């Protein structure tokens, strides 16, 4: 008798988030921000934590003001802290919850660097570095680890101090592959959803 494989139904909201992310990665930042904000209005502050984490993480990348970027990255971390492994397992492409943390903390460290708050940046970099053990030995894990190293060098005064708005050095979906992205993007982070 053939074994029957269970298939996870696609998550419609994650698909919609991924479609807007593609728009953003294609260069239409303003339109993407507007659509992401529309999705956020649908989800609401009390909505599914996986949706909020993913959406806030992407929304951070569409912000012009570093203070707004930080606010969205903090929302992503807060939502991640509400996630359970069981909820994440419901999405066929989701990572274990603990795998979100290295990139979430890296993004926060980069935000704090932009705001000139090096102590807060170092704190989040320590958290990111402490959490990298859960990452795989793959392009995403390598990208996050490399971005942490670059930002550590920069904070230690050994790395470049200018040239671009991404203190993390442009790794992650977000400058390297993310858990949902494949190569390229803005900066390291958790689930920047694929469509």
């Amino acid at each position: 008798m053939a074994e029957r494989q269970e298939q996870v139904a696609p998550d419609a909201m994650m698909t919609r988030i991924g479609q807007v992310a593609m728009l953003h990665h294609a260069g239409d930042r303003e339109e993407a921000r507007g659509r992401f904000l529309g999705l956020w209005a649908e989800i609401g502050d009390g909505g599914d934590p996986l949706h909020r984490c993913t959406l806030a993480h992407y929304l951070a990348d569409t912000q012009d003001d570093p203070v707004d970027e930080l606010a969205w990255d903090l929302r992503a971390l807060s939502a991640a802290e509400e996630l359970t492994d069981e909820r994440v397992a419901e999405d066929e492409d989701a990572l274990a919850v603990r795998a979100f943390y290295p990139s979430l903390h890296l993004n926060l460290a980069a935000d704090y660097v932009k705001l000139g708050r090096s102590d807060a940046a170092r704190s989040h970099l320590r958290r990111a570095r402490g959490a990298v053990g859960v990452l795989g030995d793959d392009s995403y894990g390598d990208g996050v680890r490399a971005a942490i190293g670059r930002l550590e060098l920069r904070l230690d005064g050994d790395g470049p101090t200018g040239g671009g708005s991404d203190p993390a050095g442009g790794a992650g979906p977000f400058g390297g592959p993310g858990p949902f992205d494949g190569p390229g993007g803005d900066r390291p982070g958790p689930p920047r959803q694929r469509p």
Side-chain angles (χ1 to χ4, degrees):
M1 185 178 350
E3 288 186 29
R4 201 171 130 188
Q5 291 183 341
E6 283 189 34
Q7 296 204 359
V8 178
D11 183 326
M13 180 56 73
M14 293 297 279
T15 298
R16 291 171 66 198
I17 293 169
Q19 290 168 341
V20 178
M22 288 178 62
L23 179 69
H24 177 234
H25 290 299
D28 198 341
R29 185 177 177 159
E30 293 297 320
E31 180 68 19
R33 180 175 35 228
R35 289 187 188 189
F36 279 142
L37 288 170
L39 292 175
W40 186 265
E42 281 184 48
I43 294 170
D45 290 333
D48 183 309
L50 180 61
H51 296 161
R52 286 185 291 121
C53 178
T54 304
L55 186 53
H57 192 57
Y58 277 116
L59 257 163
D61 286 340
T62 66
Q63 302 307 304
D64 296 323
D65 184 334
V67 172
D68 294 335
E69 184 177 356
L70 172 63
W72 284 109
D73 278 331
L74 287 169
R75 284 181 185 104
L77 179 62
S78 177
E81 290 170 346
E82 296 175 37
L83 283 169
T84 63
D85 283 325
E86 292 77 26
R87 168 57 189 104
V88 174
E90 291 174 14
D91 187 273
E92 65 183 10
D93 294 316
L95 297 174
V97 172
R98 63 189 180 282
F100 290 176
Y101 289 100
S103 55
L104 286 169
H105 286 293
L106 174 59
N107 289 342
L108 286 164
D111 294 342
Y112 284 120
V113 167
K114 289 177 189 175
L115 294 169
R117 297 177 56 190
S118 59
D119 288 342
R122 283 185 180 89
S123 174
H124 281 283
L125 265 179
R126 280 190 298 275
R127 290 178 181 171
R129 177 66 73 194
V132 296
V134 302
L135 296 176
D137 188 22
D138 55 19
S139 59
Y140 174 71
D142 293 344
V144 172
R145 285 185 285 272
I148 290 169
R150 285 191 301 272
L151 194 52
E152 286 171 337
L153 285 173
R154 181 172 175 185
L155 280 169
D156 290 342
D158 296 331
T161 57
S165 62
D166 183 2
F174 322 53
F180 298 105
D181 286 307
D186 306 321
R187 63 191 174 103
R192 302 299 214 254
Q193 168 73 357
R194 62 101 186 120

